[in-house]
Amino acid sequence: MPTSAFDALADRFARIPEGAGAGAWTDFDEDVRAELRWGRSVPPVHTWFPGTPDRRPTAAETAVALCGPDGRTREAALSFAGGSPGLLPLVVVRCADWAGPVRERARSVLRAELPGLPHGAFGDLLAVALLIAGRLRGDAARTLLIGTLREGPESRIAALLGHGDRGVRRLAHRIGVERGLLSPVRLAEIAATDPDAVVQDLCANAVLATVRDAADGALLDPLLRSRQGRVRAAGVTGLRRTGRAAEAEPFLYDRSALVRACARWVLRQAGTEPLPLYRAACAAGAGTAAGVPDDAPLGLAECGDRAVDVPALWTLTGHERPRVRASAVAGLRRLDAVRVDPLVPLLDDGSARVVREAVTALLPWADRIPADALLRRATAGPAPHVRKGALRLLAETGGAAFREAARVLSDDPDPKLRALARRTTGA
């Protein structure tokens, strides 16, 4: 007779929701195996499964038997798994079973069940197969399911593009691209809006592969408007093929370093040197609200000349817009033109972005900043980002000032800073 331990396992199976993630099934498999192996109150599974001749085992009994430690029982349980969609994820797990007869039986059951499987259920099984593929003997289910997906109807791939499992979604997009099932317009839309970087790259590259001349230029517009830097970079790269290279100039000042690099390449291929454009953009100087794009100073540093361009960057550390100031500091660091004394006042900047850049630039020279000045900032700074920046610099050199700052900040009103200080001290 099933014991209370078995009842608990069966109840857990019953509570696994429809569409549960792949990890729910592998966790269930491992937990059943552990419970039946080590639970003293649970009899050997073969004493109660597959039941009496006049009673078919329930789905819960079958599920537990599919995961039990006895190979004969697992093999027998597979006879009752066919026709029960709720048990098929465990059949996929058994396709990687250590016992050969169980593996072969599970794969046979899976092959028989796949043809009429709804798209959503197919995706759920594929998610389990992808999860166990790294196991010894775990690749067979993945190979079977992927082969079925490649040869299956377009509607199945379309349905899996929005599946909840990331691996399934990536695979569906990849096969959709390989089979040419997604139009260039659709690919551009996905690249511009999908939250997964892998899908973004896959679809953006597929769009670029279709861009040949000016007639395809409209395909780039969603890419160029994307919030994702990698996607914008793909769009900028495509401007050259469509005869729109001049439109790359605004992207010289993009917040993404990759986009800026692509814009420089496109302009150079069209015969325009980007360095004079950067210098002109940065020439407005400090205190000017218009005329200096936020990331122009860093772009200037990425292709500029240390001997020529450093003075402009120092001037822009006093610009009224915080992003320009921060970009100028980052540019100085890139050109290896950091000087300690002029940068120290930026540790009190009202912008957290500027302070972060200043701290990053000053870390290699933290021992040149008076410890008492940093301690005052750390313990009495007017803003959390000022106190945090000072603590980072003090941590670089250690010593009594750092320990005192960490002690004081462990009770700071700002919860993030308080947690940082406590981690720093090991409290």
Side-chain angles (χ1 to χ4, degrees):
M1 292 292 293
T3 67
S4 59
F6 165 70
D7 291 338
L9 291 170
D11 180 66
R12 176 171 175 183
F13 168 78
R15 288 185 286 107
I16 297 176
E18 184 178 354
W25 299 104
T26 54
D27 289 348
F28 178 78
D29 174 60
E30 293 170 4
D31 290 349
V32 171
R33 191 72 58 89
E35 183 68 27
L36 295 183
R37 180 176 294 139
W38 303 115
R40 296 180 180 179
S41 62
V42 180
V45 181
H46 66 268
T47 64
W48 49 261
F49 187 87
T52 59
D54 60 345
R55 186 180 73 83
R56 180 183 176 90
T58 66
E61 289 174 335
T62 305
V64 176
L66 281 169
C67 305
D70 186 86
R72 294 169 299 172
T73 302
R74 296 196 302 276
E75 184 180 3
L78 286 164
S79 300
F80 299 90
S84 299
L87 293 172
L88 291 181
L90 295 176
V91 174
V92 174
V93 175
R94 294 280 67 80
C95 287
D97 200 278
W98 67 269
V102 178
R103 288 197 306 273
E104 295 307 317
R105 185 69 171 271
R107 295 168 189 176
S108 176
V109 171
L110 184 60
R111 279 191 293 269
E113 294 293 321
L114 287 181
L117 208 60
H119 299 332
F122 183 95
D124 294 342
L125 297 188
L126 181 56
V128 178
L130 294 175
L131 180 61
I132 68 169
R135 297 181 181 181
L136 183 64
R137 315 176 192 89
D139 197 48
R142 180 179 65 173
T143 300
L144 174 59
L145 286 160
I146 291 178
T148 303
L149 181 61
R150 289 186 187 280
E151 299 168 2
E154 296 181 16
S155 58
R156 173 165 286 171
I157 294 175
L160 296 186
L161 294 177
H163 194 273
D165 183 85
R166 183 175 62 181
V168 172
R169 291 184 64 253
R170 290 176 175 178
L171 183 60
H173 281 88
R174 184 171 294 111
I175 294 177
V177 169
E178 291 173 359
R179 291 180 55 178
L181 304 180
L182 301 171
S183 70
V185 172
R186 176 66 174 140
L187 287 169
E189 178 186 350
I190 295 172
T193 59
D194 198 276
D196 188 339
V198 173
V199 173
Q200 293 167 15
D201 284 351
L202 177 69
C203 293
N205 290 335
V207 171
L208 289 185
T210 68
V211 172
R212 294 287 182 264
D213 50 37
D216 301 317
L219 293 174
L220 301 178
D221 294 339
L223 307 185
L224 296 171
R225 293 193 300 265
S226 173
R227 299 179 62 183
Q228 308 301 324
R230 298 170 67 90
V231 178
R232 293 197 303 280
V236 170
T237 301
L239 289 173
R240 176 171 172 262
R241 297 183 192 173
T242 60
R244 298 165 58 187
E247 295 180 35
E249 181 176 347
F251 293 95
L252 290 173
Y253 319 114
D254 194 273
R255 62 183 181 274
S256 164
L258 178 61
V259 176
R260 295 194 298 270
C262 289
R264 290 193 290 268
W265 178 83
V266 168
L267 288 171
R268 286 177 179 133
Q269 294 299 306
T272 300
E273 176 56 43
L275 182 54
L277 298 176
Y278 277 123
R279 286 172 174 165
C282 292
T288 303
V292 182
D294 287 343
D295 291 287
L298 182 52
L300 174 62
E302 288 167 344
C303 64
D305 184 291
R306 187 175 187 273
V308 175
D309 297 310
V310 164
L313 295 179
W314 277 114
T315 298
L316 292 174
T317 61
H319 197 276
E320 68 178 44
R321 288 208 310 276
R323 286 185 64 97
V324 175
R325 296 198 299 276
S327 179
V329 174
L332 289 168
R333 179 163 56 88
R334 183 176 179 91
L335 287 176
D336 194 22
V338 171
R339 288 184 287 137
V340 175
D341 291 344
L343 277 186
V344 166
L346 291 180
L347 296 175
D348 300 310
D349 198 277
S351 165
R353 183 190 299 270
V354 175
V355 172
R356 282 196 301 270
E357 289 293 348
V359 169
T360 302
L362 289 170
L363 278 173
W365 293 276
D367 57 348
R368 299 187 187 180
I369 306 172
D372 57 346
L374 291 177
L375 180 59
R376 283 195 300 273
R377 288 183 173 89
T379 57
H385 66 266
V386 173
R387 300 195 295 275
K388 178 181 178 181
L391 179 64
R392 285 186 61 198
L393 289 167
L394 286 170
E396 191 69 14
T397 57
F402 164 65
R403 292 190 294 272
E404 175 64 11
R407 183 190 67 79
V408 172
L409 292 176
S410 63
D411 293 319
D412 194 86
D414 183 80
K416 292 183 180 180
L417 183 53
R418 186 167 63 242
L420 175 62
R422 291 176 179 177
R423 286 198 306 270
T424 301
T425 58

